[in-house]
Amino acid sequence: MVVLATKCYVEGDARERALDSLDSLIRNDIGELDVSWDIGVRDDDFISVTVSGDDATAARNLLGDEWGEVTPHLTEGETYVGTLDEWDEDGFILDVGFHNYVRIPADEIGLGTGSPTQIRDRFGIVQHTPLSFVYDEDGSRLSDETRDKLYDWTREEGSGRVNVNSATRGEVRATVNRAGHAKDIVTVERLGLLEQSIVCPEGTDPPGLLASIGSYLPAELKCVLT
């Protein structure tokens, strides 16, 4: 079994759609291997995939590489993935699965000036976004990979992004289309199963796009401006 570093925290029909979407994504990742799999949602909302078959080890490794993996034991100096659970003036708190949490102190976030809340707003980090970090019992830090990715969002060509949680990539695409903004986006990037990033071209106003689609999505939405 592998526990993916992404969560399914929606209920009812939305959960069924999310897990159907995940099954299709997993099929794309490991469908050509000699394996079968079963998807479950743990009591901490992280997703478990039980894999069996001759290629099970390779399949688990592929899924861990693609989604990140949460483990019950953390080793000093190693890099892991957690999801943004809470934030306060003292830092970010990441859910790392198995009912464990890791605090990233404010001075270890490494994303410039401002309080953790201001940094979250500036970089458009919606709740539950997967973030990689380097574990240290005395004060973990965001990984260089995570910092670089977030900085890249503020420097790339185009006018910015709108980040969304509580919706699959397909649902976000459908919402953009329904709101009449299909021509106002470049693509929708998947951050996690239910966390997406809408990439906007030059000429699109991310706050305006957020306002337009917000009524269609029961989600947290945040803008990243370039």
Side-chain angles (χ1 to χ4, degrees):
M1 184 180 73
V2 58
V3 183
L4 306 184
T6 192
K7 300 173 79 170
C8 186
Y9 43 84
V10 293
E11 300 293 341
D13 291 344
R15 172 169 288 209
E16 290 185 21
R17 291 194 302 271
L19 295 180
D20 285 346
S21 174
L22 179 61
D23 187 68
S24 296
L25 295 170
I26 289 176
R27 189 174 304 280
N28 289 338
D29 290 336
I30 63 174
E32 294 185 359
L33 299 178
D34 184 11
V35 292
S36 58
W37 61 88
D38 183 63
I39 299 171
V41 181
R42 294 152 41 95
D43 62 356
D44 58 5
D45 289 336
F46 282 94
I47 294 166
S48 64
V49 184
T50 303
V51 185
S52 57
D54 290 345
D55 295 331
T57 299
R60 285 192 291 268
N61 290 338
L62 280 171
L63 291 175
D65 288 344
E66 178 66 25
W67 293 91
E69 181 179 359
V70 296
T71 62
H73 304 294
L74 304 180
T75 302
E76 293 268 335
E78 294 296 318
T79 301
Y80 300 93
V81 180
T83 63
L84 180 65
D85 190 69
E86 297 180 59
W87 51 92
D88 55 29
E89 294 310 294
D90 295 322
F92 289 167
I93 299 172
L94 306 185
D95 188 343
V96 297
F98 301 89
H99 301 288
N100 294 323
Y101 298 85
V102 166
R103 177 176 285 279
I104 309 295
D107 59 0
E108 294 291 355
I109 293 175
L111 292 172
T113 59
S115 69
T117 298
Q118 290 170 329
I119 291 170
R120 190 178 87 91
D121 289 341
R122 185 162 72 246
F123 289 92
I125 309 171
V126 293
Q127 188 180 27
H128 305 303
T129 297
L131 301 170
S132 64
F133 66 97
V134 179
Y135 178 67
D136 186 320
E137 190 172 342
D138 295 326
S140 300
R141 64 176 178 85
L142 289 186
S143 69
D144 292 342
E145 178 186 9
T146 288
R147 292 169 175 171
D148 289 346
K149 180 175 76 172
L150 295 174
Y151 269 124
D152 285 346
W153 285 356
T154 67
R155 297 167 174 161
E156 62 194 356
E157 293 183 3
S159 58
R161 294 171 176 252
V162 176
N163 293 339
V164 184
N165 68 12
S166 304
T168 66
R169 186 168 181 250
E171 288 170 337
V172 171
R173 280 185 172 277
T175 298
V176 169
N177 291 342
R178 191 180 312 125
H181 288 283
K183 295 181 179 179
D184 297 325
I185 73 167
V186 176
T187 190
V188 179
E189 291 182 2
R190 183 181 297 106
L191 307 179
L193 175 61
L194 293 170
E195 300 80 39
Q196 321 300 332
S197 186
I198 304 169
V199 182
C200 301
E202 289 288 354
T204 296
D205 174 41
L209 178 62
L210 184 154
S212 182
I213 67 175
S215 61
Y216 295 94
L217 288 169
E220 181 181 30
L221 297 91
K222 284 192 168 295
C223 290
V224 185
L225 302 179
T226 58

